[in-house]
Amino acid sequence: MTDIDPRALRNAFGTFMTGVTVVTAKDGNGTPLGFTANSFTSVSLDPPLVLVCLANSSKNYDTFVGANSFAVNILAETQIALSNTFASRVEDRFADADWRDGPNGSPILADVSAWFDCAMFKTVEAGDHVILIGEVKAFDANTGPGLGYARGAYVTPSTAADALEHSGNLIVSALIERDGEVLLINDESGGLTLPEKAAKDNGASATLRDLFDAVGVEAQPSFLYSVFDDSDRKRQHICFLCQTDAHTPQQGEFVPLTEETLAKVGDPAIVTMLRRFAAEAQLGTYGIYYGDTKSGEVRPISHGRQ
């Protein structure tokens, strides 16, 4: 077998974009312990199982392997500092953290995008790591976007937006989803379209917030969903995929993406985007579109189901 360069292999693994979590438990004295991990995934719905990997070299190895329970906290995009704290060699990682006991007894961090409080289901030795498999006993989630990680760097929706050039011809739109339905508003021709707004000097992120205010919803961007050039109208169009729990927007309404609905959308590029979203939502696998109004490519970025 050809020798594998561990550093090169680690770099190759790092090309896969993941979320960032903090895994927590308590030792025999009730002291909270935790570590940052991106090796987290869902395993099963029945029973509800998740897994995370812990290095055999971790000073917390014995505690976590012997624990009856643990929790996985999915960090929000604003919690980079918290991620760094739980990845560092500090004596008390919880000293400045806001946390509470979860329903199953493990530490739950404040303001995370989601958390899963688990009973230990099984541990599996696997090379230089141990796999902790937990049975979910309680969980919660909100619409806030999670913190991403790829190629050794954090990734956030705001980072993606601010990386785009400020342009007087930049149009920002929002594909706002709620329970499988999408918010559509009336366009200037009596049809339907996505909420959109011309970007000003304050950039794409601020424009998106203004757009939420204009349609009257509290929403959170998950990630940049589409970037395309509209040569006919001499403008660049970017769209963010967003989630909300809102029920009564001030503009438009949430509608299912049926053929009847799509027939009312006047812009062919928007129709194509909505068809792609409907198909991707069924699979739980999403991508970013790059191109123009006629052709382009979709680059996968998230795999939601196993």
Side-chain angles (χ1 to χ4, degrees):
M1 180 178 177
T2 303
D3 290 339
I4 293 179
D5 181 346
R7 181 176 292 276
L9 180 60
R10 184 172 183 173
N11 290 341
F13 285 155
T15 63
F16 180 67
M17 184 182 294
T18 68
V20 183
T21 75
V22 169
V23 185
T24 59
K26 290 185 177 180
D27 64 15
N29 298 319
T31 302
L33 303 172
F35 64 93
T36 298
N38 63 348
S39 54
F40 164 78
T41 188
S42 59
V43 175
S44 169
L45 291 176
D46 186 15
L49 301 177
V50 298
L51 71 77
V52 68
C53 297
L54 172 66
N56 295 344
S57 58
S58 170
K59 67 177 183 179
N60 296 321
Y61 175 90
D62 290 336
T63 298
F64 275 91
V65 170
N68 293 321
S69 60
F70 66 90
V72 179
N73 297 267
I74 309 296
L75 297 189
E77 70 164 345
T78 57
Q79 295 180 310
I80 291 177
L82 193 62
S83 171
N84 289 336
T85 295
F86 279 86
S88 63
R89 296 182 180 277
V90 297
E91 187 63 27
D92 184 3
R93 295 172 175 173
F94 283 84
D96 297 320
D98 186 3
W99 65 280
R100 61 181 175 82
D101 286 337
N104 200 51
S106 294
I108 303 300
L109 298 173
D111 301 321
V112 294
S113 289
W115 55 263
F116 305 90
D117 201 0
C118 307
M120 187 69 76
F121 184 80
K122 181 185 292 187
T123 62
V124 180
E125 296 291 340
D128 57 8
H129 280 65
V130 61
I131 302 172
L132 309 177
I133 303 177
E135 182 174 357
V136 178
K137 295 299 184 180
F139 72 96
D140 193 20
N142 57 54
T143 59
L147 179 62
Y149 195 78
R151 296 186 183 272
Y154 292 110
V155 180
T156 69
S158 296
T159 299
D162 293 338
L164 294 169
E165 293 184 3
H166 291 185
S167 169
N169 295 322
L170 179 64
I171 302 298
V172 177
S173 67
L175 201 169
I176 305 173
E177 184 266 343
R178 183 207 66 191
D179 296 333
E181 298 183 334
V182 171
L183 178 63
L184 296 178
I185 64 173
N186 293 326
D187 63 17
E188 297 177 352
S189 303
L192 298 176
T193 190
L194 293 173
E196 65 176 39
K197 188 176 182 65
K200 302 300 182 183
D201 292 338
N202 55 358
S205 296
T207 302
L208 188 63
R209 291 192 294 270
D210 291 342
L211 185 57
F212 293 155
D213 290 340
V215 297
V217 298
E218 293 184 4
Q220 295 288 344
S222 294
F223 50 80
L224 192 63
Y225 191 63
S226 184
V227 181
F228 63 90
D229 294 320
D230 187 340
S231 57
D232 291 338
R233 285 180 278 189
K234 295 182 173 58
R235 66 184 194 177
Q236 184 182 42
H237 191 122
I238 65 172
C239 180
F240 290 85
L241 180 59
C242 310
Q243 277 77 43
T244 186
D245 294 327
H247 290 281
T248 309
Q250 293 177 5
Q251 291 187 40
E253 62 178 322
F254 288 96
V255 294
L257 293 180
T258 63
E259 288 300 321
E260 181 181 359
T261 298
L262 293 173
K264 299 177 182 177
V265 178
D267 189 330
I270 301 299
V271 172
T272 299
M273 185 195 308
L274 293 174
R275 287 189 186 279
R276 174 167 70 91
F277 171 73
E280 290 178 342
Q282 289 293 319
L283 299 174
T285 303
Y286 300 94
I288 302 175
Y289 174 84
Y290 294 91
D292 56 30
T293 56
K294 297 180 176 61
S295 64
E297 63 174 318
V298 177
R299 302 175 188 176
I301 60 172
S302 175
H303 301 275
R305 298 178 182 174
Q306 301 295 317

